[in-house]
PDB file of all heavy atoms in Angstrom:
ATOM      1  N   LYS Q  37      75.899 -46.783 -18.036  1.00 92.00           N
ATOM      2  CA  LYS Q  37      77.241 -46.501 -18.536  1.00 92.00           C
ATOM      3  C   LYS Q  37      78.233 -47.230 -17.648  1.00 92.00           C
ATOM      4  O   LYS Q  37      78.097 -47.232 -16.424  1.00 92.00           O
ATOM      5  CB  LYS Q  37      77.474 -44.991 -18.478  1.00 92.00           C
ATOM      6  CG  LYS Q  37      78.838 -44.504 -18.895  1.00 92.00           C
ATOM      7  CD  LYS Q  37      78.849 -42.974 -18.780  1.00 92.00           C
ATOM      8  CE  LYS Q  37      80.175 -42.413 -19.205  1.00 92.00           C
ATOM      9  NZ  LYS Q  37      80.170 -40.918 -19.106  1.00 92.00           N
ATOM     10  N   LYS Q  38      79.217 -47.850 -18.257  1.00 86.00           N
ATOM     11  CA  LYS Q  38      80.179 -48.612 -17.467  1.00 86.00           C
ATOM     12  C   LYS Q  38      81.607 -48.266 -17.872  1.00 86.00           C
ATOM     13  O   LYS Q  38      81.992 -48.408 -19.029  1.00 86.00           O
ATOM     14  CB  LYS Q  38      79.941 -50.115 -17.657  1.00 86.00           C
ATOM     15  CG  LYS Q  38      80.889 -50.982 -16.834  1.00 86.00           C
ATOM     16  CD  LYS Q  38      80.726 -52.454 -17.166  1.00 86.00           C
ATOM     17  CE  LYS Q  38      81.639 -53.320 -16.328  1.00 86.00           C
ATOM     18  NZ  LYS Q  38      83.054 -52.974 -16.454  1.00 86.00           N
ATOM     19  N   TYR Q  39      82.378 -47.848 -16.875  1.00 85.00           N
ATOM     20  CA  TYR Q  39      83.813 -47.664 -17.070  1.00 85.00           C
ATOM     21  C   TYR Q  39      84.520 -48.947 -16.684  1.00 85.00           C
ATOM     22  O   TYR Q  39      83.996 -49.745 -15.898  1.00 85.00           O
ATOM     23  CB  TYR Q  39      84.337 -46.512 -16.215  1.00 85.00           C
ATOM     24  CG  TYR Q  39      83.889 -45.143 -16.654  1.00 85.00           C
ATOM     25  CD1 TYR Q  39      83.142 -44.330 -15.796  1.00 85.00           C
ATOM     26  CD2 TYR Q  39      84.210 -44.632 -17.905  1.00 85.00           C
ATOM     27  CE1 TYR Q  39      82.732 -43.067 -16.178  1.00 85.00           C
ATOM     28  CE2 TYR Q  39      83.804 -43.369 -18.299  1.00 85.00           C
ATOM     29  CZ  TYR Q  39      83.065 -42.585 -17.434  1.00 85.00           C
ATOM     30  OH  TYR Q  39      82.669 -41.339 -17.818  1.00 85.00           O
ATOM     31  N   PRO Q  40      85.734 -49.173 -17.199  1.00 79.00           N
ATOM     32  CA  PRO Q  40      86.492 -50.371 -16.816  1.00 79.00           C
ATOM     33  C   PRO Q  40      86.655 -50.481 -15.309  1.00 79.00           C
ATOM     34  O   PRO Q  40      86.860 -49.475 -14.617  1.00 79.00           O
ATOM     35  CB  PRO Q  40      87.854 -50.152 -17.500  1.00 79.00           C
ATOM     36  CG  PRO Q  40      87.558 -49.276 -18.655  1.00 79.00           C
ATOM     37  CD  PRO Q  40      86.462 -48.364 -18.201  1.00 79.00           C
ATOM     38  N   ALA Q  41      86.543 -51.664 -14.802  1.00 70.00           N
ATOM     39  CA  ALA Q  41      86.735 -51.979 -13.388  1.00 70.00           C
ATOM     40  C   ALA Q  41      85.677 -51.345 -12.478  1.00 70.00           C
ATOM     41  O   ALA Q  41      85.861 -51.305 -11.257  1.00 70.00           O
ATOM     42  CB  ALA Q  41      88.123 -51.560 -12.909  1.00 70.00           C
ATOM     43  N   GLU Q  42      84.614 -50.852 -13.049  1.00 74.00           N
ATOM     44  CA  GLU Q  42      83.519 -50.326 -12.238  1.00 74.00           C
ATOM     45  C   GLU Q  42      82.219 -50.991 -12.648  1.00 74.00           C
ATOM     46  O   GLU Q  42      82.108 -51.559 -13.731  1.00 74.00           O
ATOM     47  CB  GLU Q  42      83.384 -48.811 -12.422  1.00 74.00           C
ATOM     48  CG  GLU Q  42      84.580 -48.011 -11.945  1.00 74.00           C
ATOM     49  CD  GLU Q  42      84.374 -46.514 -12.133  1.00 74.00           C
ATOM     50  OE1 GLU Q  42      83.236 -46.096 -12.416  1.00 74.00           O
ATOM     51  OE2 GLU Q  42      85.358 -45.769 -11.998  1.00 74.00           O
ATOM     52  N   GLY Q  43      81.221 -50.912 -11.771  1.00 74.00           N
ATOM     53  CA  GLY Q  43      79.915 -51.410 -12.131  1.00 74.00           C
ATOM     54  C   GLY Q  43      79.171 -50.420 -13.005  1.00 74.00           C
ATOM     55  O   GLY Q  43      79.489 -49.234 -13.016  1.00 74.00           O
ATOM     56  N   PRO Q  44      78.185 -50.890 -13.745  1.00 82.00           N
ATOM     57  CA  PRO Q  44      77.382 -49.973 -14.559  1.00 82.00           C
ATOM     58  C   PRO Q  44      76.649 -48.962 -13.678  1.00 82.00           C
ATOM     59  O   PRO Q  44      76.152 -49.304 -12.613  1.00 82.00           O
ATOM     60  CB  PRO Q  44      76.390 -50.903 -15.257  1.00 82.00           C
ATOM     61  CG  PRO Q  44      77.011 -52.250 -15.214  1.00 82.00           C
ATOM     62  CD  PRO Q  44      77.768 -52.284 -13.932  1.00 82.00           C
ATOM     63  N   THR Q  45      76.591 -47.731 -14.129  1.00 81.00           N
ATOM     64  CA  THR Q  45      75.843 -46.699 -13.405  1.00 81.00           C
ATOM     65  C   THR Q  45      74.687 -46.220 -14.268  1.00 81.00           C
ATOM     66  O   THR Q  45      74.802 -46.108 -15.492  1.00 81.00           O
ATOM     67  CB  THR Q  45      76.739 -45.502 -13.034  1.00 81.00           C
ATOM     68  OG1 THR Q  45      77.348 -44.998 -14.218  1.00 81.00           O
ATOM     69  CG2 THR Q  45      77.807 -45.915 -12.054  1.00 81.00           C
ATOM     70  N   PHE Q  46      73.601 -45.937 -13.606  1.00 84.00           N
ATOM     71  CA  PHE Q  46      72.403 -45.497 -14.300  1.00 84.00           C
ATOM     72  C   PHE Q  46      72.638 -44.154 -14.967  1.00 84.00           C
ATOM     73  O   PHE Q  46      73.222 -43.239 -14.387  1.00 84.00           O
ATOM     74  CB  PHE Q  46      71.252 -45.403 -13.298  1.00 84.00           C
ATOM     75  CG  PHE Q  46      70.022 -44.748 -13.846  1.00 84.00           C
ATOM     76  CD1 PHE Q  46      69.204 -45.418 -14.720  1.00 84.00           C
ATOM     77  CD2 PHE Q  46      69.708 -43.442 -13.494  1.00 84.00           C
ATOM     78  CE1 PHE Q  46      68.078 -44.807 -15.236  1.00 84.00           C
ATOM     79  CE2 PHE Q  46      68.587 -42.827 -14.001  1.00 84.00           C
ATOM     80  CZ  PHE Q  46      67.770 -43.506 -14.867  1.00 84.00           C
ATOM     81  N   LEU Q  47      72.159 -44.031 -16.195  1.00 92.00           N
ATOM     82  CA  LEU Q  47      72.370 -42.807 -16.964  1.00 92.00           C
ATOM     83  C   LEU Q  47      71.071 -42.058 -17.200  1.00 92.00           C
ATOM     84  O   LEU Q  47      70.897 -40.909 -16.822  1.00 92.00           O
ATOM     85  CB  LEU Q  47      73.022 -43.168 -18.300  1.00 92.00           C
ATOM     86  CG  LEU Q  47      73.640 -42.086 -19.149  1.00 92.00           C
ATOM     87  CD1 LEU Q  47      74.697 -41.324 -18.379  1.00 92.00           C
ATOM     88  CD2 LEU Q  47      74.253 -42.698 -20.413  1.00 92.00           C
ATOM     89  N   ILE Q  48      70.134 -42.723 -17.837  1.00 93.00           N
ATOM     90  CA  ILE Q  48      68.872 -42.083 -18.194  1.00 93.00           C
ATOM     91  C   ILE Q  48      67.847 -43.172 -18.466  1.00 93.00           C
ATOM     92  O   ILE Q  48      68.204 -44.290 -18.826  1.00 93.00           O
ATOM     93  CB  ILE Q  48      69.053 -41.165 -19.428  1.00 93.00           C
ATOM     94  CG1 ILE Q  48      67.839 -40.269 -19.655  1.00 93.00           C
ATOM     95  CG2 ILE Q  48      69.388 -41.979 -20.674  1.00 93.00           C
ATOM     96  CD1 ILE Q  48      68.076 -39.178 -20.710  1.00 93.00           C
ATOM     97  N   SER Q  49      66.587 -42.845 -18.278  1.00 90.00           N
ATOM     98  CA  SER Q  49      65.545 -43.832 -18.516  1.00 90.00           C
ATOM     99  C   SER Q  49      64.382 -43.200 -19.261  1.00 90.00           C
ATOM    100  O   SER Q  49      64.299 -41.965 -19.401  1.00 90.00           O
ATOM    101  CB  SER Q  49      65.048 -44.415 -17.190  1.00 90.00           C
ATOM    102  OG  SER Q  49      64.431 -43.403 -16.410  1.00 90.00           O
ATOM    103  N   ILE Q  50      63.488 -44.026 -19.723  1.00 93.00           N
ATOM    104  CA  ILE Q  50      62.288 -43.542 -20.383  1.00 93.00           C
ATOM    105  C   ILE Q  50      61.153 -44.525 -20.166  1.00 93.00           C
ATOM    106  O   ILE Q  50      61.353 -45.748 -20.212  1.00 93.00           O
ATOM    107  CB  ILE Q  50      62.534 -43.298 -21.897  1.00 93.00           C
ATOM    108  CG1 ILE Q  50      61.324 -42.598 -22.538  1.00 93.00           C
ATOM    109  CG2 ILE Q  50      62.866 -44.600 -22.623  1.00 93.00           C
ATOM    110  CD1 ILE Q  50      61.615 -42.056 -23.936  1.00 93.00           C
ATOM    111  N   SER Q  51      59.985 -43.987 -19.908  1.00 91.00           N
ATOM    112  CA  SER Q  51      58.802 -44.807 -19.754  1.00 91.00           C
ATOM    113  C   SER Q  51      58.125 -44.949 -21.112  1.00 91.00           C
ATOM    114  O   SER Q  51      58.267 -44.083 -21.979  1.00 91.00           O
ATOM    115  CB  SER Q  51      57.856 -44.135 -18.761  1.00 91.00           C
ATOM    116  OG  SER Q  51      56.566 -44.703 -18.827  1.00 91.00           O
ATOM    117  N   SER Q  52      57.373 -46.012 -21.258  1.00 92.00           N
ATOM    118  CA  SER Q  52      56.749 -46.266 -22.558  1.00 92.00           C
ATOM    119  C   SER Q  52      55.671 -45.251 -22.927  1.00 92.00           C
ATOM    120  O   SER Q  52      55.218 -45.210 -24.071  1.00 92.00           O
ATOM    121  CB  SER Q  52      56.137 -47.671 -22.575  1.00 92.00           C
ATOM    122  OG  SER Q  52      55.141 -47.780 -21.590  1.00 92.00           O
ATOM    123  N   ILE Q  53      55.263 -44.430 -21.972  1.00 93.00           N
ATOM    124  CA  ILE Q  53      54.252 -43.427 -22.301  1.00 93.00           C
ATOM    125  C   ILE Q  53      54.874 -42.203 -22.975  1.00 93.00           C
ATOM    126  O   ILE Q  53      54.173 -41.315 -23.439  1.00 93.00           O
ATOM    127  CB  ILE Q  53      53.465 -42.987 -21.054  1.00 93.00           C
ATOM    128  CG1 ILE Q  53      54.387 -42.340 -20.024  1.00 93.00           C
ATOM    129  CG2 ILE Q  53      52.717 -44.169 -20.460  1.00 93.00           C
ATOM    130  CD1 ILE Q  53      53.644 -41.744 -18.848  1.00 93.00           C
ATOM    131  N   LYS Q  54      56.206 -42.186 -23.009  1.00 94.00           N
ATOM    132  CA  LYS Q  54      56.906 -41.074 -23.645  1.00 94.00           C
ATOM    133  C   LYS Q  54      57.643 -41.572 -24.878  1.00 94.00           C
ATOM    134  O   LYS Q  54      57.892 -42.773 -25.036  1.00 94.00           O
ATOM    135  CB  LYS Q  54      57.910 -40.454 -22.681  1.00 94.00           C
ATOM    136  CG  LYS Q  54      57.304 -39.765 -21.480  1.00 94.00           C
ATOM    137  CD  LYS Q  54      58.402 -39.078 -20.678  1.00 94.00           C
ATOM    138  CE  LYS Q  54      57.817 -38.249 -19.565  1.00 94.00           C
ATOM    139  NZ  LYS Q  54      58.875 -37.539 -18.796  1.00 94.00           N
ATOM    140  N   ASP Q  55      58.006 -40.646 -25.744  1.00 95.00           N
ATOM    141  CA  ASP Q  55      58.862 -41.029 -26.860  1.00 95.00           C
ATOM    142  C   ASP Q  55      60.214 -40.332 -26.823  1.00 95.00           C
ATOM    143  O   ASP Q  55      61.091 -40.618 -27.649  1.00 95.00           O
ATOM    144  CB  ASP Q  55      58.169 -40.776 -28.205  1.00 95.00           C
ATOM    145  CG  ASP Q  55      57.710 -39.329 -28.347  1.00 95.00           C
ATOM    146  OD1 ASP Q  55      58.186 -38.462 -27.572  1.00 95.00           O
ATOM    147  OD2 ASP Q  55      56.858 -39.066 -29.209  1.00 95.00           O
TER     148      ASP Q  55
END
Side-chain angles (χ1 to χ4, degrees):
Chain Q
K37 177 179 181 179
K38 181 186 181 303
Y39 290 120
E42 296 181 12
T45 55
F46 171 75
L47 194 57
I48 192 170
S49 64
I50 188 167
S51 165
S52 61
I53 62 173
K54 294 185 173 182
D55 55 16

